[in-house]
Amino acid sequence: QVQLVESGGGLVQAGGSLRLSCAASGRTFSTHTMGWFRQAPGKEREFVAAIMRDGYITSYVDSVKGRFIITRDGAKKTVYLEMNSLKPEDTAVYYCAADSSFLIRRDQRSYEFWGQGTQVTVSS
């Protein structure tokens, strides 16, 4: 079992930066692929980024490549999403999720554990 708690959301102007954190509890954090998803008003939840348990293999949706960076700290059991050059279209609730497979996947159905989400609002 993994419990996830996101933090770091807020209101920022376009072009600004935010760093989201996702603190995990449970012994199996180190074996899980960790992902970030987001859901904008009126839209379906979409994949943003994921990082494998080795901390090196990552995957990003095209719209955030070059702007967002996902990292993880095993000692702190925390995964981060550094978001730079933010755009109004990045406005959404951001969710952290954990996948117990040994793969890096973009399908949200593959992720067994979810946080409650944190709101990110980017003003123009």
Side-chain angles (χ1 to χ4, degrees):
Q1 192 78 7
V2 178
Q3 290 80 43
L4 304 171
V5 179
E6 303 97 334
S7 62
L11 173 65
V12 63
Q13 288 188 333
S17 298
L18 281 175
R19 188 177 79 157
L20 304 183
S21 299
C22 173
S25 60
R27 298 180 180 179
T28 57
F29 172 81
S30 63
T31 63
H32 283 62
T33 291
M34 300 299 296
W36 285 98
F37 292 77
R38 65 186 180 186
Q39 187 167 20
K43 295 187 177 181
E44 294 186 353
R45 188 159 55 185
E46 67 169 351
F47 170 82
V48 176
I51 185 167
M52 289 192 71
R53 58 179 182 165
D54 64 1
Y56 294 103
I57 299 174
T58 59
S59 178
Y60 298 91
V61 68
D62 285 348
S63 60
V64 308
K65 283 182 180 177
R67 299 189 298 123
F68 290 11
I69 301 172
I70 186 171
T71 57
R72 65 190 293 163
D73 185 330
K76 296 182 178 180
K77 294 185 178 180
T78 300
V79 61
Y80 303 96
L81 185 68
E82 182 76 31
M83 306 186 295
N84 301 305
S85 302
L86 283 162
K87 305 175 181 180
E89 51 263 44
D90 294 318
T91 294
V93 177
Y94 283 71
Y95 297 91
C96 174
D99 175 5
S100 62
S101 76
F102 297 149
L103 304 172
I104 191 163
R105 300 187 286 191
R106 299 186 174 203
D107 188 342
Q108 59 180 309
R109 294 171 296 181
S110 303
Y111 290 76
E112 302 103 312
F113 307 105
W114 292 83
Q116 294 298 310
T118 185
Q119 177 70 48
V120 171
T121 303
V122 185
S123 63
S124 57

